Amino acid sequence: MISHFRSVAFRQAKSVTSRRGFATKELVINAVGSDRLGIVSELTKHVTDMGGNVGESQASRLGSHFSLMMLVHVPQENVVKLVDQLEEIEDITTSVHMVKEEAKSTPISKAAAGYTGRFSLKGADNPGIIHKVTSILAKNGLSIDRLETSDEIAPHGGTLLFKMKGIAHAYEPVASGFDPNKIKKELGLLGDELNCDIGMDDLKPGTNDLNATA
């Protein structure tokens, strides 16, 4: 349900002026629903039909479901109509976050990455397995930038395998005790405990490509 945005949130949202000269609202739209052909096209069409523009976006498939998050700018007079249209899309749950002035004006510091690693896991699923891996990364000063998980049937025996891969950074200034080899050892020991293959490859600092050459 997104009707509550029509009251307080609309008045608090940030207004900016587009290149065409009219006031626009900056919105974050998150949509989740059953995966189907044309879902991205349908969602973005509602935005463009309202005179809006899609900026940054992220999309992912989770099992039989699809998730899309978009940062958009929409003419102020069309915001309520857009929200109504999104709410009516069949088999999709949509939420809209109105970007406030103070959130937009707060500067965000982006430190350079001093170290980047690509971590990976493959093996039988275990309760809390994601938490255990990410806890090792966090306590050693690594911040996760990307994370993907999936299930697949093993080629022999029909066993369900759990797979995880991701990118993690240690930002400048890197702590004096930071040691990638120590992290790799801890991940390896966890893998032995859980009967999984867990490892981490060194990448060029700042890399965000999961398929980059180590």
Side-chain angles (χ1 to χ4, degrees):
M1 297 296 295
I2 49 182
S3 58
H4 62 282
F5 285 104
R6 295 181 181 79
S7 56
V8 179
F10 280 175
R11 297 194 298 270
Q12 293 178 336
K14 172 180 170 55
S15 295
V16 297
T17 302
S18 73
R19 295 177 182 177
R20 298 177 184 176
F22 49 73
T24 66
K25 295 288 189 180
E26 189 172 32
L27 318 173
V28 175
I29 299 173
N30 186 43
V32 179
S34 298
D35 190 22
R36 67 171 188 267
L37 183 65
I39 187 172
V40 175
S41 175
E42 179 179 0
L43 287 163
T44 55
K45 184 177 185 300
H46 284 292
V47 175
T48 56
D49 283 353
M50 290 294 102
N53 179 62
V54 179
E56 298 178 55
S57 65
Q58 292 183 358
S60 61
R61 184 185 300 164
L62 303 172
S64 62
H65 287 74
F66 185 85
S67 174
L68 174 66
M69 184 165 61
M70 303 182 293
L71 178 65
V72 306
H73 291 87
V74 179
Q76 182 173 342
E77 65 270 20
N78 292 339
V79 171
V80 172
K81 189 174 181 180
L82 173 62
V83 171
D84 287 339
Q85 290 185 358
L86 294 175
E87 197 171 35
E88 293 174 359
I89 300 177
E90 187 176 356
D91 297 330
I92 296 179
T93 300
T94 306
S95 62
V96 180
H97 172 70
M98 317 292 291
V99 179
K100 298 180 181 180
E101 177 69 39
E102 57 267 27
K104 186 67 178 178
S105 61
T106 302
I108 300 176
S109 176
K110 293 186 177 179
Y115 172 84
T116 296
R118 177 178 55 218
F119 57 94
S120 61
L121 178 151
K122 184 175 182 179
D125 197 1
N126 290 271
I129 192 170
I130 297 177
H131 171 69
K132 291 175 182 177
V133 172
T134 56
S135 291
I136 290 176
L137 302 177
K139 77 175 184 179
N140 283 284
L142 283 174
S143 177
I144 296 174
D145 184 74
R146 297 189 61 187
L147 176 64
E148 293 183 1
T149 63
S150 62
D151 295 318
E152 68 175 33
I153 302 298
H156 304 289
T159 304
L160 187 65
L161 295 178
F162 179 76
K163 298 177 66 176
M164 176 171 65
K165 60 181 178 180
I167 299 289
H169 305 292
Y171 292 100
E172 297 284 6
V174 177
S176 58
F178 180 77
D179 184 356
N181 291 325
K182 174 178 176 289
I183 302 172
K184 294 174 185 178
K185 183 177 180 180
E186 291 184 22
L187 291 173
L189 291 174
L190 178 63
D192 292 341
E193 177 186 337
L194 301 178
N195 194 27
C196 296
D197 294 324
I198 308 177
M200 186 174 72
D201 298 320
D202 301 333
L203 298 179
K204 179 180 178 181
T207 300
N208 289 311
D209 184 359
L210 284 170
N211 299 312
T213 303

